[in-house]
């Protein structure tokens, strides 16, 4: 008989707090409007890049990448794809060829999410 036990619990929230007033400064809305419709007064935003993380979180991020080859590959593939989108000097043909190669690698990665995302990309452009 298999036995399982919960040995601990925990949670983490991103350090960046964004209030309704912060959002109202960016878009045409107000704290009252958001709170009335959603009940939300503030939310936590996760940094998009590791460079934006505070040092302790950046170290935990690096440790997680070092422990997980799959996570490391996901981050590497994401970075490569972002760099592909930002190439303004490449010809259309060069960009398509690079994107096809990225998709081939994603589909061969063994990571279901990368495979599915690649297939969605191929439906749009390739």
């Amino acid at each position: 008989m298999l036995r399982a036990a919960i040995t601990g619990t925990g949670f983490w929230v991103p350090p960046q707090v964004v209030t309704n007033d912060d959002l109202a400064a960016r878009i045409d809305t107000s704290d009252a409007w958001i709170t009335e419709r959603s009940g939300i007064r503030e939310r936590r935003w996760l940094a998009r890049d590791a460079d934006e993380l505070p040092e302790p979180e950046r170290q935990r991020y690096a440790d997680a990448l070092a422990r997980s080859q799959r996570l490391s590959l996901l981050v590497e593939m994401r970075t490569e794809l972002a760099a592909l989108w930002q190439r303004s000097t490449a010809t259309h043909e060069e960009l398509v060829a690079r994107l096809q190669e990225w998709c081939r690698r994603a589909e061969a990665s063994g990571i279901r999410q990368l495979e599915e995302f690649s297939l969605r990309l191929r439906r749009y452009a390739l």
Side-chain angles (χ1 to χ4, degrees):
M1 170 184 249
L2 295 176
R3 296 186 186 265
I6 297 173
T7 60
T9 62
F11 73 96
W12 176 84
V13 294
Q16 183 180 2
V17 176
V18 179
T19 67
N20 292 344
D21 289 330
D22 295 332
L23 288 178
R26 294 178 179 204
I27 59 175
D28 184 24
T29 190
S30 69
D31 172 56
W33 189 90
I34 296 170
T35 303
E36 178 182 313
R37 285 163 180 75
S38 69
I40 297 171
R41 295 190 183 279
E42 67 180 30
R43 73 257 331 120
R44 302 285 181 139
W45 279 1
L46 184 61
R48 292 184 67 142
D49 295 308
D51 296 342
E52 298 173 16
L53 294 171
E55 182 54 38
E57 283 84 11
R58 198 172 326 149
Q59 186 57 50
R60 283 194 287 273
Y61 175 76
D63 292 345
L65 290 179
R67 285 190 312 269
S68 172
Q69 185 177 3
R70 289 173 61 89
L71 181 59
S72 182
L73 180 59
L74 279 169
V75 170
E76 177 186 331
M77 296 289 289
R78 176 191 179 271
T79 302
E80 289 176 16
L81 186 58
L84 272 174
W85 293 135
Q86 295 172 356
R87 294 201 182 180
S88 59
T89 59
T91 67
H92 174 74
E93 292 78 19
E94 290 171 330
L95 288 173
V96 168
R98 289 177 184 154
L99 186 56
Q100 287 173 334
E101 174 59 20
W102 186 93
C103 287
R104 185 197 62 73
R105 289 180 41 239
E107 291 164 15
S109 70
I111 300 174
R112 184 178 49 84
Q113 293 82 355
L114 278 176
E115 294 167 9
E116 291 173 359
F117 183 70
S118 172
L119 293 173
R120 282 196 309 269
L121 275 179
R122 285 185 185 276
R123 280 187 238 138
Y124 289 114
L126 308 177

